[in-house]
Amino acid sequence: MTGKFVVGFDGSETAQRALDFATERAIAQGGTIVVAYVLEWSPYSFLTPQEVAERSQRRKDELARAETAIIEPAQRAAEAKGVRVETVLRYGHIAEIICEIAEAPDVAQIFIGRNGRSSLGSRVFGSVAGHLVQASPVPCTIVP
Amino acid sequence: MTTYFKRAALAAFVVTTSAVTAGAQEAEPTLDQAVNDAFASATGWFVNFIFSPFPGTSFPWIVAWLVIAATIFTIYFGLIQFRAFPHSIALVKGDYSDPNDAGEVSHFQALATALSGTVGLGNIAGVAVAVGIGGPGATFWMILAGLMGMASKFTECTLGVKYRNEFPDGHVSGGPMYYLDKGFAERGLPGGKVLAVLFAIFCILGSLGGGNMFQSNQAHQQIAGIVGEYPGWITGVIFAGVVFAVIIGGLKSIAQVTEKVVPFMGILYVLAALVIILMNADKIGWAFGQIFAGAFTGLGVAGGLVGALIQGFKRAAFSNEAGVGSAAIAHSAVKTKEPITEGFVSLLEPFIDTVVICTMTALVIIISGQLVSDPETGLYILTEGGSIQTLDGSSGVSLTSAAFSSAFSWFPYVLAVAVILFAFSTMISWSYYGLKAWTFLFGEGKTTEIVFKVIFCIFVVIGAAANLGPVIDFSDAAIFAMAVVNIAGLYFLMPIVKRELDSYMSRLKSGEIRKFK
């Protein structure tokens, strides 16, 4: 199965494991890696006037930091192993955005790390992995 | 000219603050009384000027000023508040939001932030004041003022976004002081700078009055109603401490928690009001009958029809701040290619604040039978002070509390939490508005900001310690003074808004502006 392998990536240890796992598969099958970093954001959250005033600048800083500290090092490390890498940096609900990226016709699979936490929040609101398993348009691999 | 105003403004603050604090130190019977007397004498001249009636009548010129403006904007923009209502909802839902702009402040967030500054004690205590003096009829005029005020809000918030300042470090400042200055310059009109400076001065006074003292005053009254009477300065000092921690100490977490809890408190408040109204469904028809009859006859209230009208318009303006210019400061930070969209979103504010929430409060007070009327004549019985006699003699926030507790005995406790949260969130919002006006006058910088914030905290204590009368008078006067300057400017700038509106509407019709959802 060739095509694009979308990896949900946030720079954490578990995300790195998922990226390594997906990279091995991509090399073996001649696929392309899509490193997708989604910054959690809801347009319906509540902000203070101060936060509203500073939001535009903070967004610029967040994007710059994500690009230089998380996305680029991951891209370089994966490419060094000999695989083609594309990157996506978006704001929104993590699982929804990853599903949206996976809607593209050439996406074959999603890889995501499992953080292993069974926190109350995850039980009440669901985890990203749980959401993806339910809603992913392509096969989804959860890497422990 | 600007330097003169800066000096005058600073002198006014020093005089007002020192007069109040000096008065507070005199050997009066109680500290509260001393603060109250000093406050009343220091601000009386200002209040008298703002609320002076037309010669030979009892009609305050300021009320006419607001109503005429709202009417002119309503006509000039072709009933925009009704025409654009569905489109405003679509914008808030995010139907027209470009996904590439995700992470920027959304229309919903701008609306919620602006609402957190307006939904507060004006909706709880202010309505009780209006109905307590102007009778149920005041509710009719309040709703009408809310509907008309939507057009004022639309005008000012569009301009707020269009003429905001973006500083090199990326932060944004906007509001009437910026659009009066830049807008007048763009149209080649003189006097923009003077109006901008005047607005900034009144905005600082408004932030210390309605955005601060009125809030701490009513919060104290509500707490004292539950735990028993105790000196107001105690509440003031506690409130001031928390506000100090947030705006000076940088404890943003408190503000963030409040900002998230307040909307739910607002929903809870509206739901409780709805439950009470539905529990008394048989009285709804009678209550609306009282509202309409009172609106056109007064039903015995002081000043009759005009008395009800003045109270309704006054409290609506104080509650939703349409025409005041404060919301334009909050909305101006939104990143949008179309400033007019922020105008559309902002017109929902007076609707939510006044037409929905204020009406709920008024209906609960009327339906719960708090206002005493003569069974024979059907007219309301007045006290010596000229307000309507209530079942337990309460007024302001205590009257609202009594009305809600007639259905749920435990509700005063919930209301106390709501009042404290509303008061706090309104204070935080207004400390920001005041600060923006302050930095417009005295420049951006750490030291000038600290000076304003300390003054703001001092006024929290003064507000809690003073009686309702002088506090509410000064609050109204300061907020309405902002409206005097803002609306004067809006008349000259409304053709700019009209151009924006026509251009946007034609592109919306042609499909150039399209939905993303």
Side-chain angles (χ1 to χ4, degrees), chain B residues 191-486:
Chain B
K193 181 67 100 179
V194 175
L195 283 176
V197 169
L198 274 176
F199 177 85
I201 292 167
F202 291 136
C203 183
I204 294 163
L205 290 174
S207 77
L208 298 174
N212 176 342
M213 289 196 298
F214 177 72
Q215 307 298 324
S216 61
N217 181 283
Q218 290 292 276
H220 170 71
Q221 204 182 110
Q222 179 64 16
I223 298 164
I226 290 173
V227 303
E229 278 303 322
Y230 68 96
W233 61 264
I234 297 174
T235 305
V237 167
I238 295 166
F239 254 102
V242 180
V243 171
F244 184 93
V246 172
I247 67 175
I248 298 175
L251 263 178
K252 289 197 173 109
S253 52
I254 300 175
Q256 282 162 345
V257 168
T258 309
E259 211 60 41
K260 286 162 182 59
V261 173
V262 160
F264 297 107
M265 215 70 213
I267 292 164
L268 179 70
Y269 180 79
V270 170
L271 284 177
L274 266 175
V275 169
I276 295 173
I277 292 163
L278 291 174
M279 279 165 67
N280 296 280
D282 56 320
K283 290 185 189 163
I284 294 174
W286 168 82
F288 276 103
Q290 290 285 292
I291 289 170
F292 282 105
F296 298 104
T297 66
L299 288 175
V301 303
L305 182 159
V306 177
L309 181 143
I310 290 170
Q311 282 303 323
F313 279 141
K314 249 172 86 167
R315 301 265 58 92
F318 184 68
S319 176
N320 67 39
E321 296 165 24
V324 168
S326 50
I329 300 172
H331 281 277
S332 60
V334 173
K335 200 175 179 71
T336 174
K337 297 174 194 78
E338 305 285 349
I340 202 84
T341 56
E342 212 44 44
F344 288 135
V345 169
S346 70
L347 64 76
L348 295 172
E349 277 171 47
F351 183 81
I352 296 166
D353 179 283
T354 310
V355 180
V356 177
I357 304 177
C358 286
T359 306
M360 290 284 177
T361 306
L363 277 173
V364 170
I365 292 170
I366 298 161
I367 277 178
S368 61
Q370 296 299 311
L371 308 173
V372 180
S373 62
D374 185 336
E376 285 183 20
T377 60
L379 300 178
Y380 287 99
I381 298 167
L382 303 186
T383 62
E384 282 180 14
S387 59
I388 297 171
Q389 197 177 312
T390 53
L391 281 181
D392 59 356
S394 56
S395 65
V397 74
S398 314
L399 174 58
T400 309
S401 190
F404 275 87
S405 61
S406 68
F408 308 114
S409 58
W410 45 263
F411 200 82
Y413 302 101
V414 176
L415 195 64
V417 175
V419 162
I420 291 164
L421 285 170
F422 284 154
F424 183 72
S425 75
T426 303
M427 280 183 197
I428 297 299
S429 292
W430 272 91
S431 72
Y432 176 77
Y433 300 158
L435 182 65
K436 287 288 152 191
W438 184 269
T439 54
F440 177 82
L441 284 179
F442 305 114
E444 310 262 336
K446 279 273 175 279
T447 313
T448 54
E449 288 183 18
I450 293 281
V451 170
F452 172 75
K453 288 171 178 176
V454 169
I455 291 171
F456 192 86
C457 289
I458 291 167
F459 272 80
V460 175
V461 183
I462 296 168
N467 286 348
L468 179 59
V471 170
I472 210 167
D473 286 346
F474 178 76
S475 303
D476 285 351
I479 296 234
F480 287 147
M482 287 167 71
V484 172
V485 180
N486 183 44

Side-chain angles (χ1 to χ4, degrees), chain A:
Chain A
M1 187 183 8
T2 55
K4 290 182 177 175
F5 297 166
V6 176
V7 183
F9 191 78
D10 62 2
S12 66
E13 211 175 297
T14 54
Q16 190 57 55
R17 280 204 296 273
L19 179 59
D20 294 342
F21 186 80
T23 303
E24 285 170 25
R25 302 291 165 291
I27 292 167
Q29 296 173 28
T32 303
I33 291 288
V34 178
V35 176
Y37 182 21
V38 183
L39 293 149
E40 186 73 53
W41 173 258
S42 166
Y44 304 111
S45 59
F46 299 104
L47 305 174
T48 64
Q50 193 75 35
E51 287 171 322
V52 168
E54 292 167 357
R55 183 62 221 157
S56 215
Q57 187 54 38
R58 279 196 188 172
R59 180 177 183 266
K60 279 195 193 110
D61 296 344
E62 286 163 4
L63 289 173
R65 206 169 36 242
E67 193 71 56
T68 54
I70 293 173
I71 293 268
E72 282 172 7
Q75 183 179 9
R76 277 198 302 271
E79 280 174 342
K81 292 177 183 173
V83 69
R84 264 172 40 84
V85 180
E86 293 174 12
T87 63
V88 179
L89 180 54
R90 296 265 297 272
Y91 271 95
H93 184 276
I94 299 171
E96 281 176 19
I97 298 288
I98 290 176
C99 283
E100 216 174 279
I101 296 164
E103 297 279 349
D106 51 355
V107 172
Q109 215 180 135
I110 293 174
F111 292 82
I112 189 151
R114 190 190 70 194
N115 64 20
R117 272 183 270 128
S118 55
S119 64
L120 182 66
S122 297
R123 287 170 190 276
V124 176
F125 302 109
S127 62
V128 172
H131 272 280
L132 280 171
V133 167
Q134 297 288 335
S136 172
V138 292
C140 181
T141 303
I142 313 289
V143 181

